[in-house]
Structures are given as C-alpha cells and as structure tokens.
Amino acid sequence: MSWLITGGAGYIGSHVVHAMKAAGEQVVVLDDLSTGRAERLPEGVPLEIGSVLDSEVVSRVLHRHAIAGIVHIAGKKQVAESVSRPLHYYRENVEGMRVLLAAAVAADVTRFVFSSSAAVYGMPDVDLVTEKTPCAPINPYGETKLAGEWLLTAVGRAHGMATASLRYFNVAGAATPALGDEGVSNLVPMVFQRLDAGEAPRVFGDDYPTPDGTCVRDFVHVTDIATAHVAAAHRLTADPGVEMTLNIGRGEGVSVAEMIDVIVRVTGKPNVRPRISGRRPGDPARVVASADLAHSELGWEAQHDVRSMVESAWESWRLRRS
Ligand code: WQD
C-alpha cells in the first residue's frame, strides 16, 4: 500500500516524506518542482514531476503506483501574495484540490491527509484556538485552505474516504541542515536575513494587547509536523470511516520579541535592538493552538522546543550560505 505525497520535494513535504519512509511506509512524490528540489528526497523514493492541476498526470501516477492514500501538501502558502493574486491562489489551492480529489475517487483512493493551516481561523479572539473556534479567514490564502477542508469532508462522506485536515500553526526548524526552509517569508528566516545584513530585526508593531506588546504565535518544529502526518496516516489506515480536523501546534504562545531574543542569542549576533515598525495589516494579536484533540485522536504531541527550532533553522541557513 503506497502513499502519494504531493509537494514532497518542498520544505514541509520533504520532512513528511522522510518521516513516512522512516516509519516503513511506501511513498511516492508528485511535485512540479516550482519551489521544491529533488535533492531533498531520500534514496529510493520515486519522484513524479507534475502538477496536481494536471488530471492526466495525477491519474497516471495514482494507477502506476497503486496509490491507496494521499498526503496533499502541494500548494501556495504566502499570505501577502494571496492578497495580490487571489485567482492564482484559488486555482492552485482549490482547483488543484478538486482535480486531485476527483482523480483520487476515480482511482479508489481511500485515505487522504490534507495540509491545512491556522490561517483558517483569521483573527481568533481566544486564549487557545480549538477546532471548534469559528473559522473566519481574513485573506485568500486562509480562504483556500478552508475551502479545501470543506471539499475534502464532502468528498470523504460521499465516497467513503477516511480524511484528516491538519491545521499547521507557525512552522520552523529543520530535521537536518539540508532540509531547512529556503523561503524568507516568515519570522525566523526574515530575522536571519536582517542579522546577516548587519541590520536590526524588524518588529511589526509592539502595541498589541499582549504581555510585551508584540504578537504571540504558536511555533511548532517541522519535525513534529511530520510526525503528526505519520500518526494521521496510521489512524486513517486503522479507522477507514474516520473524519478528522486537527490543530497541529505546541499549545504554547511565544511572542515575536521573545522569538527574536532567542534568535539573537542562538546566532551569537551582537545584541542588536529590534526596530519597531508599524503593525502589519491582518496580523492577529494572538494565535495559539489547543493541541488536545491531536493528542487524543492521534496520540501525538510536539516534542521540540523553540530553541531547537531556531538552532536547527540557523544551522540550515548557514549551510546554504557557506
Ligand atoms: C509571525 C509574526 C508578524 C516578520 C503565516 C500564515 C500561517 C503560516 C505561517 C502557512 C507576525 C511578525 C514577522 C518580521 C515581525 N503559513 N513578524 N517581523 O503571519 O503568523 O502566519 O505564516 O500555513 O498560516 O498565516 O507568520 O512568520 O509571517 O509572522 O514582527 O520580520 O511575526 O507580524 O506577528 P504568520 P509570520
């Protein structure tokens, strides 16, 4: 029984591929290599190059490899870009999901794990976000992830597919230096970039209603994200009728200022004072997961702390620049 990992040559996808393989699963990767790299894949994992939007390619891959389960990670994930290019995001993330699901149903795929996001919650006004917290996305990226969840649930019910949508919170770190995040669109790499340039890190607003005035997030190690996917895949295999939507976070809030402090200490850069700039539109003051349901449904909980996220991310950042 093989699993197809879409987007498996990317930052999060390659961590999931390594974790699934290490757990003894047969995996195949479908990736268009628009941002992913084949070098991220372990030996012996077949790579099919193509887009989930290409139904002929998808169907051929599902039949060629006798795929029984899919982990769908391929997609566009930059919030700001989704605001300026909504049509691109809805095509890639929603139409791509529809094409993939149609091919999955036609090929009798019976298990589907979907890469969703905390962005579906928008600006939740709660201390801890549970899966019952109302979803009110505030950008097209979050909308496309919520639409993907709805589509998956409807298809799972109509066609007897076991499904799990995993809502990632703020992902950071790397299992090995070679697998680090090559993008610079989130806090940790953005601060690395500033420090490397000898510039002060920027804090987008310090007047939020939080203990130190900066935004609070739930940072989770990418290795923990990957083990959550393995646990979900095993649960769908054991429980063919299951339908789950789960927060994947640590359940602990860390502020932007606290994170920057860890980054400055780990990188050993001179103790620079962050530069406070204006708030970034659309930033919620606090988004922190309750991860209780993932623990009860999957027996999963995050194992890595913020320092290990920053240390592993920095090691990877330096490797790529050495
Ligand atoms: C975190 C905090 C910034 C850079 C988004 C998506 C989410 C997920 C992660 C995919 C914010 C502040 C940042 C900087 C700063 N993506 N910041 N200075 O916006 O919480 O979440 O990316 O699933 O779904 O919504 O992540 O890393 O962009 O920002 O002060 O140089 O750090 O304002 O408060 P975000 P982020």
Side-chain angles (χ1 to χ4, degrees):
M1 200 284 284
S2 292
W3 288 86
L4 178 70
I5 320 279
T6 74
Y11 165 51
I12 294 177
S14 57
H15 280 89
V16 173
V17 169
H18 282 264
M20 289 283 279
K21 194 166 186 312
E25 297 294 339
Q26 294 295 319
V27 294
V28 175
V29 169
L30 173 66
D31 199 301
D32 64 8
L33 299 185
S34 57
T35 54
R37 290 191 300 106
E39 299 73 37
R40 287 174 168 273
L41 298 182
E43 281 295 306
V45 170
L47 169 61
E48 299 277 5
I49 298 174
S51 165
V52 293
L53 282 157
D54 187 335
S55 60
E56 277 181 33
V57 165
V58 174
S59 298
R60 190 168 62 241
V61 167
L62 292 178
H63 288 98
R64 174 182 297 156
H65 298 282
I67 299 295
I70 293 175
V71 180
H72 179 36
I73 299 175
K76 298 300 174 190
K77 66 167 192 170
Q78 293 192 35
V79 170
E81 185 184 44
S82 79
V83 174
S84 58
R85 300 185 66 194
L87 286 170
H88 180 57
Y89 269 67
Y90 270 85
R91 181 169 187 272
E92 293 286 329
N93 293 357
V94 179
E95 176 60 7
M97 179 72 156
R98 191 200 65 75
V99 171
L100 182 63
L101 280 168
V105 168
D108 296 326
V109 169
T110 55
R111 307 163 181 116
F112 199 108
V113 180
F114 174 49
S115 164
S116 188
S117 167
V120 302
Y121 294 113
M123 302 181 91
D125 188 16
V126 291
D127 182 50
L128 288 181
V129 175
T130 75
E131 290 80 357
K132 292 195 183 327
T133 300
C135 291
I138 54 170
N139 51 62
Y141 166 72
E143 293 164 2
T144 66
K145 285 300 181 180
L146 187 56
E149 290 185 13
W150 290 339
L151 197 44
L152 178 59
T153 300
V155 169
R157 289 174 183 171
H159 299 282
M161 198 185 277
T163 65
S165 287
L166 304 182
R167 293 173 175 171
Y168 308 166
F169 280 65
N170 288 62
V171 186
T176 65
L179 293 183
D181 184 2
E182 296 171 18
V184 188
S185 54
N186 291 118
L187 176 64
V188 172
M190 287 169 78
V191 174
F192 287 167
Q193 190 174 61
R194 299 279 294 184
L195 292 174
D196 262 358
E199 296 167 357
R202 285 179 304 173
V203 173
F204 299 145
D206 66 349
D207 58 349
Y208 286 93
T210 61
D212 64 18
T214 67
C215 290
V216 175
R217 293 290 183 271
D218 184 332
F219 295 95
V220 52
H221 199 293
V222 65
T223 302
D224 288 323
I225 292 281
T227 56
H229 285 72
V230 175
H234 289 167
R235 175 69 195 276
L236 299 190
T237 302
D239 194 350
V242 76
E243 173 190 300
M244 298 183 292
T245 299
L246 303 172
N247 288 339
I248 305 299
R250 280 190 323 128
E252 181 194 339
V254 175
S255 78
V256 171
E258 289 168 334
M259 200 61 170
I260 290 176
D261 183 49
V262 173
I263 294 170
V264 169
R265 277 189 278 114
V266 164
T267 57
K269 298 287 183 181
N271 201 351
V272 290
R273 283 182 58 77
R275 181 164 67 79
I276 308 297
S277 51
R279 288 186 177 192
R280 187 171 68 170
D283 271 342
R286 178 182 168 91
V287 186
V288 178
S290 161
D292 292 349
L293 198 57
H295 188 243
S296 60
E297 291 290 332
L298 302 181
W300 173 89
E301 62 182 345
Q303 302 297 316
H304 298 80
D305 63 11
V306 160
R307 187 167 180 96
S308 73
M309 288 176 223
V310 173
E311 286 172 343
S312 59
W314 179 240
E315 209 179 329
S316 178
W317 176 274
R318 289 194 314 173
L319 171 81
R320 282 197 303 280
R321 283 154 184 77
S322 59

